[in-house]
Amino acid sequence: LTHVRTRRLRTVGAIAALLLLLTACGGDDDVPQDTGAEAEEETGGEEAASLEVSAVDNSFDPSSLSAAAGSEVTVEVTNDGSNPHTFTIDDLEVDTETIASGESASATFTMPDSSVSFYCAIHGEAVMSGTIEAT
Ligand SMILES: [Cu+2]
């Protein structure tokens, strides 16, 4: 009888040791899973940008601006001069049409990957123009 009990105990002990070994090997499951949080952070390309430009006689102030590529840009143009002016970007089909002295107008567009040039259609690009640099 003593013999049989000893053998059974050894068998149970061997199975327990095997289970312990299997559990230890399964420890790799504790490695943190990729939650995908990084992918969500990269979708922020739709930010909005507000720019202010003053039109005077006859130039823009400032004439050099910048905005992030892909952002929705709103340019508030105020005519602080005596002459009428416009804020025009041919490539983006942006045109405030004539802004009278003391008046203001806004133009909204999506900033492209490259810089854009704006000008006053009344006084011409050679006289009255500026640039919005893409960042
Ligand atoms: Cu002008």
Side-chain angles (χ1 to χ4, degrees), residues 84-85 120 123 128:
H85 300 290
C120 168
H123 297 102
M128 191 169 172

Side-chain angles (χ1 to χ4, degrees), residues 55-60 79 83-87 99 119-124 127-129:
V56 294
D57 303 322
N58 292 314
S59 63
F60 288 108
N79 186 350
N83 298 327
H85 300 290
T86 79
F87 179 91
I99 307 169
Y119 70 101
C120 168
I122 295 169
H123 297 102
V127 174
M128 191 169 172
S129 61

Side-chain angles (χ1 to χ4, degrees), residues 8 10-11 14 19 26 41 43 59 69 76 79 81 84 105 114 119 131:
R8 278 189 64 187
R10 285 177 64 181
T11 307
L19 284 173
E41 290 171 14
T43 56
S59 63
E76 183 77 16
N79 186 350
S114 55
Y119 70 101
T131 305

Side-chain angles (χ1 to χ4, degrees), residues 57-121:
D57 303 322
N58 292 314
S59 63
F60 288 108
D61 179 29
S63 60
S64 185
L65 303 145
S66 66
S71 63
E72 185 171 283
V73 179
T74 299
V75 183
E76 183 77 16
V77 187
T78 303
N79 186 350
D80 293 312
S82 300
N83 298 327
H85 300 290
T86 79
F87 179 91
T88 306
I89 304 173
D90 284 344
D91 290 345
L92 303 178
E93 295 182 350
V94 166
D95 185 18
T96 60
E97 300 190 332
T98 301
I99 307 169
S101 175
E103 300 289 306
S104 63
S106 65
T108 301
F109 54 90
T110 300
M111 188 65 193
D113 293 335
S114 55
S115 299
V116 294
S117 297
F118 58 88
Y119 70 101
C120 168

